[in-house]
Amino acid sequence: MRTVCILGSTGSIGQNTLDVIRRHPDKYRVHSLVAHRRVETIYAQCLEFRPQYALMSDPDAAAALSQKLKSTDIQVEVLSGLTDSEGLVSSSNVDIVMAAIVGAAGLLPTLAAVKAGKQVLLANKEALVMSGALFMDAAREYQAKILPIDSEHNAIFQSLSTSVQSGEQSPIDAGIQKLLLTGSGGPFLHTPLEQFPELSVQQAVAHPNWSMGQKISVDSATMMNKGLEFIEARWLFDVQPNDIQVVIHPQSMIHSMVQYVDGSVIAQLGQPDMRTPIAYGLAYPERIEAGVAPLDFTKMLDFTFTQPEQARFPCLYLAIEACCLGQAASTVLNAANEIAVEAFLQQQIKFTDIAIIVEQTLTQQSLPDIQCIDDVLSVDAQARLLASQLRDQKAI
Ligand code: NAD
Ligand code: MG
């Protein structure tokens, strides 16, 4: 029996994780649930999974959850404030941590799990984008096992030999030539460019293949998501930007590929369903049933690949540029994007302003050398301030 702490349990990844766990009560027990403020959802999760702890980062939500649990017979200790989650993930009673808080808020709890040497199922790509080498160095130092949950990185991981997976052999020594990162192109792959300034939130979050949280859905529409994944791949697999290529594959069946020097390409395929990578991460190196329907190749009509257009997806190219510039630029890019996407979701700025705010923040923000997490937090805070000013100038 392995025990699991879920950071971000009420979100899309959190709920999918619980769905896989629900199928294997003999293998996994939920130790703790951490979320922001969706009381009804976490309350239902507490009733079903009976964790020892439930933490809400919002104090009012924590109080409301406590109150609701009082009228039940279940013993869940309710905690409040995200800082306490660092203690939860480090508990000796936790084997596996699912890192699925969205955005920068997930950085410190995820890092705490890494420093506690846990099996870390990494969905929170922003944490790695913000901290890159520091994050991976900590994983090595504290012997944490990082298992990528982002479907692309999970696909790449599955396409590697065990010696590369474990870090014993470098990708170059293993004959890897390129990582081919696939992306669907999102809802606006074929939308005429002149319509872009007027695209609505509703249109942007309507992803053709995947059902996800709001922030990552907007990131998929701008393809900033693929840009963040580019940076994520650079660190997770210890390769250079030149070794990664983004390919549009609208059917989302191939989740990414690894090209080897002998001409072989190894790909992982499956339904666009996050329960596959989640089950892989939970059971690694074994396999468990995930509730996902098998692919039916006779029903696949098209299998196409194209290059992403720069004019359509400027955010992708800004992210690749930031990756080449280094850590501070990647941290700034992520911070500015979080501010801009939130403003777009609140209908304060236009869809096309997202890329403009990110680009201007990157150009105007100084990019110091990053040595430690405090440096990351300070660059992140400065970039948020600048991006917020730029947002206010744009406000509709
Ligand atoms: P979501 O918006 O559905 O859920 C986010 C979760 O984070 C919620 O449980 C929320 O309560 C929690 N949260 C947010 N702010 C918090 C805070 N300050 N303190 C504590 N908890 C907080 O997002 P999602 O789609 O599940 O994505 C989660 C992460 O996984 C993101 O980093 C995303 O990029 C990544 N990811 C998601 C998918 C997907 O299919 N949804 C795929 C790949 C990667
Ligand atoms: Mg992904």
Side-chain angles (χ1 to χ4, degrees):
M1 184 65 87
R2 310 203 68 208
T3 50
V4 189
C5 165
I6 304 179
L7 300 172
S9 71
T10 56
S12 166
I13 293 287
Q15 296 192 43
N16 275 307
T17 305
L18 288 168
D19 186 71
V20 177
I21 290 178
R22 179 184 289 127
R23 293 161 193 277
H24 301 281
D26 54 323
K27 291 192 168 69
Y28 305 102
R29 190 172 58 76
V30 178
H31 169 270
S32 39
L33 299 171
V34 174
H36 189 31
R37 57 178 170 212
R38 284 175 62 187
V39 176
E40 289 301 329
T41 310
I42 203 166
Y43 173 69
Q45 293 176 343
C46 286
L47 292 187
E48 181 179 354
F49 293 95
R50 312 219 160 195
Q52 262 171 280
Y53 301 95
L55 183 149
M56 307 235 73
S57 55
D58 181 273
D60 293 339
L65 177 64
S66 265
Q67 194 57 35
K68 279 179 82 74
L69 284 166
K70 267 194 192 137
S71 58
T72 69
D73 62 344
I74 64 166
Q75 306 288 323
V76 180
E77 190 169 332
V78 177
L79 304 172
S80 153
L82 197 51
T83 322
D84 280 355
S85 65
E86 296 179 35
L88 281 185
V89 299
S90 322
S91 159
S92 58
N93 294 325
V94 169
D95 300 313
I96 302 174
V97 176
M98 166 52 85
I101 289 176
V102 60
L107 175 65
L108 294 180
T110 305
L111 258 184
V114 170
K115 290 188 175 172
K118 301 298 181 189
Q119 177 168 330
V120 179
L121 276 46
L122 183 69
N124 178 208
K125 66 192 87 185
E126 296 91 346
L128 185 53
V129 167
M130 289 173 77
S131 62
L134 294 170
F135 188 101
M136 297 310 289
D137 286 348
R140 270 184 291 275
E141 185 178 345
Y142 297 96
Q143 294 176 4
K145 179 88 209 149
I146 310 289
L147 291 165
I149 297 304
D150 215 346
S151 57
E152 296 74 9
H153 307 74
N154 188 270
I156 290 168
F157 189 85
Q158 293 200 40
S159 306
L160 301 174
S161 61
T162 46
S163 59
V164 181
Q165 287 182 344
S166 66
E168 279 158 49
Q169 197 180 26
S170 76
I172 300 284
D173 290 346
I176 291 169
Q177 202 169 47
K178 246 187 189 6
L179 304 183
L180 299 165
L181 208 54
T182 55
S184 68
F188 304 140
L189 183 58
H190 303 295
T191 307
L193 290 182
E194 58 276 15
Q195 290 178 17
F196 270 45
E198 306 312 327
L199 292 172
S200 69
V201 170
Q202 209 186 357
Q203 287 170 299
V205 299
H207 197 281
N209 306 338
W210 296 94
S211 154
M212 308 178 287
Q214 291 223 308
K215 192 254 174 185
I216 185 174
S217 295
V218 175
D219 283 348
S220 298
T222 60
M223 276 192 88
M224 177 59 92
N225 183 48
K226 211 51 54 186
L228 298 175
E229 291 178 357
F230 188 99
I231 303 172
E232 186 185 8
R234 183 256 178 276
W235 293 115
L236 268 178
F237 304 113
D238 192 21
V239 295
Q240 295 305 312
N242 272 341
D243 305 328
I244 311 171
Q245 186 186 347
V246 175
V247 182
I248 292 192
H249 167 49
Q251 296 78 21
S252 297
M253 292 293 172
I254 291 184
H255 298 307
S256 279
M257 309 180 253
V258 178
Q259 181 181 308
Y260 289 86
V261 286
D262 62 0
S264 299
V265 176
I266 301 190
Q268 184 261 356
L269 286 76
Q271 300 284 4
D273 188 322
M274 290 308 291
R275 290 176 300 176
T276 297
I278 291 167
Y280 182 88
L282 282 170
Y284 182 82
E286 286 163 21
R287 300 265 180 181
I288 53 170
E289 198 270 329
V292 179
L295 282 185
D296 182 349
F297 283 85
T298 62
K299 294 216 171 90
M300 282 184 209
L301 300 177
D302 275 328
F303 226 48
T304 54
F305 304 91
T306 54
Q307 206 183 334
E309 295 167 67
Q310 186 151 3
R312 183 173 294 276
F313 300 117
C315 284
L316 167 64
Y317 290 88
L318 287 169
I320 295 174
E321 194 186 318
C323 186
C324 297
L325 282 170
Q327 187 56 66
S330 303
T331 309
V332 168
L333 170 104
N334 179 67
N337 183 58
E338 285 192 27
I339 295 291
V341 170
E342 182 57 26
F344 172 68
L345 285 169
Q346 301 299 326
Q347 302 183 19
Q348 292 166 346
I349 59 167
K350 291 176 187 291
F351 182 75
T352 38
D353 289 334
I354 298 174
I356 295 171
I357 289 174
V358 172
E359 181 171 22
Q360 290 182 349
T361 311
L362 263 177
T363 320
Q364 294 175 28
Q365 175 76 48
S366 63
L367 302 175
D369 200 22
I370 293 214
Q371 306 279 359
C372 61
I373 290 299
D374 282 344
D375 294 346
V376 170
L377 297 176
S378 137
V379 167
D380 175 77
Q382 287 167 30
R384 276 169 203 272
L385 202 62
L386 177 54
S388 305
Q389 288 162 1
L390 294 164
R391 169 203 62 200
D392 294 344
Q393 289 163 19
K394 292 268 168 215
I396 299 166

